């Protein structure tokens, strides 16, 4: 009898083992019938930030955005689930869904621009977002990024709950580490968003973001990185359109869906039109202003979607052609950092940066970024930079700020902003290395008791 | 959302099923054919032996030898391979003998055996002696790899005295990449290199996933990890060293390439300690330049890029279009 029993248990055990081995087998590509999920996560409205600093980074295994905490402190969360109740338009949720499908298709066969909007496809191709590149990018994204950034780029992939800082939600169109020049717009206009240049995305992918869980993908080679960067833009533009339409609808704000929001002075409008026409090669600069306004007002989500994508693509193209000017380095190259420059940088830093980077970042208070997740103003004594350690990267950070983290761009004065900028960069470069700082600065930064002169004095 | 899909055209899908069917089939077959187990074992042993003997001739053998101690390690490997191979054939031969001579005979009860002291003594003592022998034989190699041998450029105690290494670098593992930092080779040598691993200098060169060196360079590696245990493994170097949280683990190698190599050689750095979900993706490259000069060219180019104060040249689709 006991022998019988052992024969019986033998079968299920073998089958279980076979099934366990099987569970690792999967396809490398997206399924053809898979669709991007509609946005379900709330939109965090941080127009008015909460009056209290976040209590800490979220605990491992908890979502990075802490909705209960935010709502308890008066921050509005717009919940897409309540969209269909808003009387903004008939059945508009479905319309948005259809528009997203027609312009961006599916993860298995991504594209940018509906077949009936060839103008968009032309722009997309100019940016390098061709269908073959997007397909390759989607394939690599599925293999390398999806566990953190999620299928639609929502930043809540399977492993995201255990990561701090949280993987980026790519669906708002905001990026931190960018190097574009800024356009000044008259008040009352939807501002041009700070767009990353191709360079910036590829840099982030090539070197990773040091100090976060985002790793380097340098070994993939340039071709693949370019394809992934293209797909990141595809996801980002898709998410941004969805985000913007939902945002407008949930606020019951019809005007959000107009690209020209208010009726400004005729003169300003002409300036704005000029600016858009020249920077984005949008409309004929000489066209009639009333005509221009009429063209920007969208009667339907369908028309709006097309115009919005058109504008965003033009913004990306303009960003690539419009890099932040980098002033020439005013000191001799290949020399030790000049002490006077470091001291000047230190003075600027004390005036503008210490209220966030308290104690040079060693005692920074936590803050919120525009995604409603927690960020910590960097500890600048660590020699660790998410956006790159080249002096030019640091220059970009201070001259552009980090808009999504509310880090403002530095005020470099009018007399010699180039020199002031490099002074700050020189100070930042020397800051983590006490032996590089002039003695009075070192005394102030590290104090007599905290001086540690590198590894081997 | 990202559900696993089962793909019937993948051979890996059928493999466990084939094994299961084979097992069940053998089990049933042995009820009717008393030589079934003997046949299976003979085929398996013959197959394994044939594969092993054929491997060196079809390129399934050890990877290229790429460091000053790789030959020694291989000799030890071959010695152990020979000893274990010998005993494999001996013991398996015995099993076959027993399977043939003592296959179940229907109607007779099995003969119970209660052990044999002499036999057990023999198969305990003989392997014991062999193991002790191996332990003694490998000592010089082990000591050398751990920096206790006659490498005069290594300081026996890493904390003091300083090494005369050509390259000093730290590799910091993290989930899931290798962060590399070189000390400027032209900087004066350090009294306490171990401390440099946690105290970066302004002139250090930072890199990720790529370790560069040149043939004959005395490379001093300081291994660290930011999170869990990883293991730095370059098969060609025959070097595998765990990185432990909170510790700086020193190790070293001197790369060698076949004489006359004029291109750079790339070997994979693989993490050899299961370290999490993407362990398989924790790979880097060890790049051996053909000579010191080309390494120095690479180093100065990378160092210049790291201190770049102007906008990098444009790349990407828009840049290409205007070119
Ligand atoms: Cu690892």
């Amino acid at each position: 009898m006991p022998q019988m029993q052992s024969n019986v248990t033998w079968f299920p055990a073998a089958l279980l083992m076979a099934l366990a081995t099987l569970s690792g087998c999967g396809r490398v590509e997206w399924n053809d019938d898979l669709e991007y999920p509609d946005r379900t996560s709330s939109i965090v409205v941080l127009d008015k930030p909460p009056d209290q600093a976040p209590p800490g980074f979220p605990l491992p295994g908890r979502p990075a955005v802490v909705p209960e905490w935010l709502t308890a402190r008066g921050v509005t969360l717009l919940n897409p689930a309540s969209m269909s109740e808003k009387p903004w338009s008939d059945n508009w949720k479905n319309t948005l869904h259809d528009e997203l499908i027609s312009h961006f298709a599916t993860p298995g066969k991504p594209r940018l621009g509906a077949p009936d909007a060839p103008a968009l496809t032309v722009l997309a191709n100019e940016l390098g977002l061709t269908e073959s590149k997007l397909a390759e990018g989607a394939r690599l994204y599925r293999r390398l990024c999806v566990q953190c950034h999620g299928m639609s780029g929502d930043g809540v992939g399977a492993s995201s709950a255990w990561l701090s800082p949280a993987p980026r939600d790519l669906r708002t169109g905001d990026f931190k580490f960018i190097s574009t020049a800024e356009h000044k717009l008259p008040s009352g206009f939807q501002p041009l968003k700070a767009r990353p240049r191709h360079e910036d995305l590829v840099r982030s992918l090539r070197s990773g973001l040091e100090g976060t869980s985002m790793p380097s993908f340098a070994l993939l080679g340039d071709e693949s990185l370019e394809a992934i960067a293209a797909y990141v833009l595809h996801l980002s533009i898709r998410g941004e359109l969805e985000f913007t339409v939902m945002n407008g609808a949930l606020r019951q704000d019809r005007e959000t869906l107009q690209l020209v929001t208010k009726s400004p002075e005729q003169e300003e409008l002409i300036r704005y039109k000029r600016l858009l026409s020249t920077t984005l090669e949008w409309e004929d600069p000489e066209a009639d202003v009333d005509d221009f306004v009429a063209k920007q007002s969208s009667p339907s989500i369908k028309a709006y979607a097309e115009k919005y994508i058109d504008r965003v693509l033009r913004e990306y193209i303009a960003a690539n052609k419009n890099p932040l000017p980098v002033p020439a380095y005013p000191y001799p190259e290949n020399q030790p950092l000049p002490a006077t420059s470091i001291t000047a940088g230190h003075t600027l830093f004390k005036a503008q940066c210490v209220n966030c980077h308290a104690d040079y970042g060693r005692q920074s208070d936590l803050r919120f970024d525009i995604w409603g997740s927690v960020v910590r103003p960097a500890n600048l004594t660590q020699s660790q930079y998410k956006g790159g350690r080249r002096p030019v990267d640091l220059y970009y950070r201070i001259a552009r700020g980090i808009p999504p983290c509310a880090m403002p761009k530095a005020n470099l004065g009018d007399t010699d902003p180039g020199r002031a900028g490099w002074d700050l960069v020189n100070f930042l470069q020397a800051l983590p290395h006490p032996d590089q700082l002039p003695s009075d600065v070192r005394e102030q930064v590290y104090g007599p008791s905290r001086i540690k002169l590198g590894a081997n004095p | 959302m990202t559900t696993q899909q089962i793909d019937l055209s993948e051979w890996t899908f059928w493999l466990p099923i084939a094994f299961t069917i084979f097992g069940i089939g053998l089990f049933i077959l042995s009820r009717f054919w008393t030589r079934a187990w003997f046949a299976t074992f003979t085929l398996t042993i013959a197959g394994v032996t044939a594969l092993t003997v054929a491997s060196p001739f079809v390129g399934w053998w050890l990877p290229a030898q790429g460091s000053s101690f790789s030959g020694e390690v291989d000799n030890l490997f071959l010695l152990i391979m020979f000893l274990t191979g010998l005993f494999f054939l001996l013991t398996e031969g015995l099993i076959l003998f027993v399977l043939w001579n003592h296959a179940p005979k229907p109607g007779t009860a099995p003969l119970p055996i209660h052990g044999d002291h002499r036999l057990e003594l023999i198969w305990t003592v003989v392997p014991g002696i062999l193991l002790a022998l191996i332990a003694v034989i490998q000592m010089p190699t082990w000591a050398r790899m751990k920096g206790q041998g006659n490498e005069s450029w290594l300081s026996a105690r890493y904390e003091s005295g300083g090494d005369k290494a050509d390259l000093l670098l730290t590799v910091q593992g993290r989930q899931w990449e290798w962060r590399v930092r070189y000390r400027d080779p032209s900087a004066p040598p350090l009294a306490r290199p171990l401390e440099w691993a946690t105290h970066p200098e302004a002139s250090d060169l930072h890199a990720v996933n790529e370790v560069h060196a040149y043939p004959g360079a005395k490379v001093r590696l300081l291994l660290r990890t930011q999170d869990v245990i990883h293991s730095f493994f370059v098969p060609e170097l025959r070097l595998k060293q765990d990185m432990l949280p909170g510790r700086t683990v020193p190790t070293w190698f001197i790369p060698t390439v076949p004489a006359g190599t004029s291109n750079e050689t790339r070997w994979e750095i693989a993490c050899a300690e299961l370290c999490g979900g993407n362990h398989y993706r924790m790979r880097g490259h060890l790049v051996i330049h053909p000579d010191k000069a080309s390494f120095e060219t690479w180093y100065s180019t990378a160092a210049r890029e790291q201190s770049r104060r102007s906008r990098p040249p444009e790349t990407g689709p828009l840049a290409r279009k205007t070119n």
Side-chain angles (χ1 to χ4, degrees):
Chain A
M1 200 55 200
Q3 216 186 349
M4 268 301 290
Q5 218 170 13
S6 78
N7 279 355
V8 174
T9 46
W10 190 78
F11 275 100
L15 272 179
L16 272 180
M17 265 169 63
L19 284 176
T21 324
L22 267 179
S23 64
C25 308
R27 297 202 340 175
V28 193
E29 250 103 83
W30 294 112
N31 241 9
D32 281 345
D33 53 4
L34 208 60
E35 282 187 10
Y36 288 113
D38 287 334
R39 184 185 178 105
T40 51
S41 50
S42 293
I43 291 172
V44 183
V45 185
L46 279 175
D47 299 347
K48 185 175 69 68
D51 44 16
Q52 198 180 332
F57 280 103
L59 294 172
R62 300 277 320 275
V65 184
V66 204
E68 312 84 28
W69 195 92
L70 286 169
T71 34
R73 277 156 193 85
V75 173
T76 315
L77 298 184
L78 302 173
N79 184 359
S82 63
M83 271 193 333
S84 11
E85 298 153 19
K86 309 278 177 185
W88 184 73
S89 152
D90 296 340
N91 216 359
W92 69 274
K93 197 172 179 176
N94 293 341
T95 319
L96 176 61
H97 181 85
D98 293 346
E99 280 312 301
L100 290 174
I101 294 270
S102 83
H103 284 295
F104 301 92
T106 59
K109 281 202 174 342
R111 66 160 174 254
L112 216 163
D116 62 359
L120 294 186
T121 315
V122 170
L123 285 175
N125 287 348
E126 190 175 345
L127 252 182
L129 309 183
T130 58
E131 258 181 59
S132 61
K133 230 186 207 179
L134 288 178
E136 171 70 0
R139 198 180 64 77
L140 290 165
Y141 185 91
R142 183 198 184 288
R143 206 151 61 78
L144 303 172
C145 324
V146 78
Q147 78 273 30
C148 290
H149 289 286
M151 177 164 120
S152 61
D154 54 10
V156 286
S159 58
S160 62
W162 282 268
L163 301 176
S164 182
R168 179 67 45 77
D169 176 357
L170 300 167
R171 298 171 308 169
T172 64
D174 293 281
F175 292 85
K176 284 184 189 172
F177 306 112
I178 53 176
S179 64
T180 35
E182 208 173 12
H183 299 291
K184 279 240 172 337
L185 285 191
S187 57
F189 296 108
Q190 258 193 27
L192 292 182
K193 242 190 185 152
R195 301 294 178 184
R197 294 164 59 236
H198 182 79
E199 257 323 286
D200 302 333
L201 289 176
V202 172
R203 196 219 64 84
S204 295
L205 294 176
R206 193 177 282 136
S207 331
L209 307 183
E210 202 182 346
T212 78
S213 53
M214 164 103 178
S216 151
F217 294 96
L219 295 186
L220 287 180
D222 290 348
E223 290 273 300
S224 302
L225 291 188
E226 219 161 82
I228 303 182
Y231 187 65
V232 165
L233 289 193
H234 163 92
L235 284 181
S236 176
I237 296 172
R238 182 192 169 280
E240 184 179 342
L241 176 64
E242 187 183 33
F243 177 89
T244 314
V245 173
M246 281 193 180
N247 196 2
L250 288 166
R251 293 177 190 220
Q252 303 203 30
D253 176 6
R254 238 172 181 289
E255 290 203 338
T256 315
L257 294 190
Q258 317 282 316
L259 291 170
V260 173
T261 48
K262 303 214 172 86
S263 351
E265 299 295 312
Q266 189 78 353
E267 220 170 280
E268 289 217 316
L269 196 55
I270 292 172
R271 276 220 327 268
Y272 177 57
K273 181 172 74 86
R274 282 255 157 72
L275 189 111
L276 286 187
S277 316
T278 47
T279 55
L280 305 188
E281 296 169 10
W282 204 347
E283 306 284 350
D284 174 11
E286 304 309 321
D288 185 53
V289 172
D290 293 335
D291 209 29
F292 173 75
V293 174
K295 275 191 183 161
Q296 309 312 319
S297 324
S298 314
S300 68
I301 289 182
K302 185 168 166 47
Y304 178 78
E306 215 173 301
K307 283 209 184 98
Y308 195 84
I309 299 172
D310 182 86
R311 170 172 163 157
V312 172
L313 286 172
R314 284 172 193 280
E315 284 182 11
Y316 274 109
I317 293 171
N320 273 297
K321 294 182 181 162
N322 227 333
L324 192 72
V326 180
Y329 186 59
Y331 304 100
E333 289 272 1
N334 303 324
Q335 297 287 319
L337 305 173
T340 49
S341 167
I342 295 177
T343 310
H346 184 217
T347 313
L348 280 170
F349 192 91
K350 279 190 292 186
Q352 297 182 29
C353 318
V354 280
N355 49 346
C356 289
H357 297 275
D359 191 20
Y360 305 92
R362 287 173 296 207
Q363 298 178 40
S364 307
D365 280 336
L366 301 180
R367 306 178 154 256
F368 286 104
D369 59 19
I370 56 153
W371 295 275
S373 42
V374 181
V375 282
R376 184 183 191 284
N379 179 351
L380 298 171
T381 65
Q382 268 184 332
S383 184
Q384 193 179 66
Y385 309 97
K386 294 181 183 176
R389 63 176 58 250
R390 298 175 303 181
V392 67
D393 294 322
L394 297 178
Y395 182 83
Y396 289 150
R397 294 299 90 76
I398 61 175
R400 193 67 179 82
I402 307 179
C405 301
M407 168 162 148
K409 58 181 183 171
N411 177 5
L412 300 174
D414 294 330
T415 42
D416 195 350
R419 179 177 290 260
W422 285 117
D423 287 343
L424 250 178
V425 172
N426 283 347
F427 170 69
L428 288 176
Q429 276 196 280
L431 179 58
H433 308 287
D435 56 338
Q436 305 276 308
L437 293 170
S439 56
D440 57 327
V441 176
R442 181 166 63 223
E443 187 94 344
Q444 290 180 51
V445 176
Y446 289 99
S449 60
R450 271 200 278 182
I451 290 183
K452 50 175 193 342
L453 277 170
N456 293 274
Chain B
M1 255 188 302
T2 55
T3 45
Q4 294 274 342
Q5 301 133 36
I6 289 175
D7 185 352
L8 297 187
S9 64
E10 282 280 344
W11 66 273
T12 47
F13 175 89
W14 296 105
L15 196 65
I17 296 182
F19 268 116
T20 315
I21 292 174
F22 173 79
I24 297 171
L26 185 62
F27 186 73
I28 295 171
L29 187 65
S30 67
R31 296 275 141 138
F32 303 107
W33 185 39
T34 49
R35 299 291 182 212
W37 288 108
F38 176 80
T40 313
F41 270 76
T42 312
L43 283 177
T44 314
I45 294 161
V48 168
T49 313
L51 262 182
T52 312
V53 173
S55 302
F57 303 100
V58 290
W60 292 344
W61 204 234
L62 299 171
Q65 296 186 343
S67 75
S68 56
F69 48 66
S70 53
E72 276 176 51
V73 178
D74 285 3
N75 290 344
L76 286 174
F77 176 86
L78 292 176
L79 174 73
I80 295 171
M81 182 79 184
F82 175 76
L83 285 176
T84 50
L86 205 67
F87 280 90
F88 173 77
L89 292 178
L90 190 71
T91 47
E92 299 303 304
L94 275 172
I95 289 182
L96 292 187
F97 173 80
V98 169
L99 280 177
W100 182 263
N101 272 328
H102 303 278
K105 297 184 183 67
T108 36
L111 179 71
I113 296 178
H114 290 291
D116 179 326
H117 274 288
R118 206 155 39 118
L119 260 182
E120 280 174 24
L121 213 64
I122 291 176
W123 73 51
T124 311
V125 170
V126 171
I129 294 176
L130 282 176
L131 280 179
L133 212 64
I134 293 175
V136 172
I137 292 174
Q138 58 83 43
M139 268 180 187
T141 309
W142 179 259
R144 182 166 171 222
M145 291 175 72
K146 296 294 152 187
Q148 310 289 326
N150 53 0
E151 298 288 326
S152 57
W153 59 280
L154 290 172
S155 54
R157 297 252 142 260
Y158 307 106
E159 296 80 2
S160 61
D163 314 323
K164 287 170 225 39
D166 295 320
L167 287 175
L168 174 63
L169 49 111
T170 80
V171 175
Q172 188 161 51
R174 74 169 198 87
Q175 289 170 322
W176 289 280
E177 65 185 355
W178 311 94
R179 291 253 159 212
V180 186
R181 184 159 55 82
Y182 300 78
R183 186 156 189 278
D184 182 359
S186 62
L190 295 171
R192 294 191 298 278
L194 214 57
E195 265 180 40
W196 169 80
T198 42
H199 292 83
E201 291 179 323
S203 56
D204 294 344
L205 176 67
H206 297 249
V208 55
N209 283 349
E210 271 191 358
V211 175
H212 289 246
Y214 55 91
K218 304 185 186 101
V219 184
R220 169 57 103 188
L221 261 182
L222 304 176
L223 301 177
R224 288 189 62 81
T225 165
Q226 274 180 28
D227 35 49
V228 298
I229 302 181
H230 301 280
S231 185
F232 182 89
F233 179 34
V234 183
E236 281 80 0
L237 296 182
R238 310 289 190 271
L239 174 66
K240 184 191 278 179
Q241 177 60 57
D242 278 12
M243 314 158 118
L244 304 175
R247 289 233 226 148
T248 301
V249 183
T251 182
W252 67 278
F253 63 91
I254 299 179
T256 56
V257 293
T261 308
S262 59
N263 293 324
E264 58 176 41
T265 314
R266 270 175 190 267
W267 290 324
E268 183 182 356
I269 305 172
C271 181
E273 182 69 58
L274 180 59
C275 59
N278 282 342
H279 164 63
Y280 71 93
R281 205 189 277 167
M282 188 163 169
R283 334 163 81 170
H285 283 171
L286 173 65
V287 184
I288 309 293
H289 291 261
D291 50 34
K292 188 172 181 190
S294 77
F295 168 81
E296 277 168 353
T297 316
W298 168 82
Y299 190 94
S300 55
T301 315
R304 219 174 318 123
E305 180 60 25
Q306 184 173 291
S307 52
R308 171 183 279 288
R309 294 198 173 96
S310 59
R311 201 171 44 242
E314 307 281 338
T315 60
L318 288 174
R320 230 169 281 136
K321 211 164 162 187
T322 48
N323 280 349

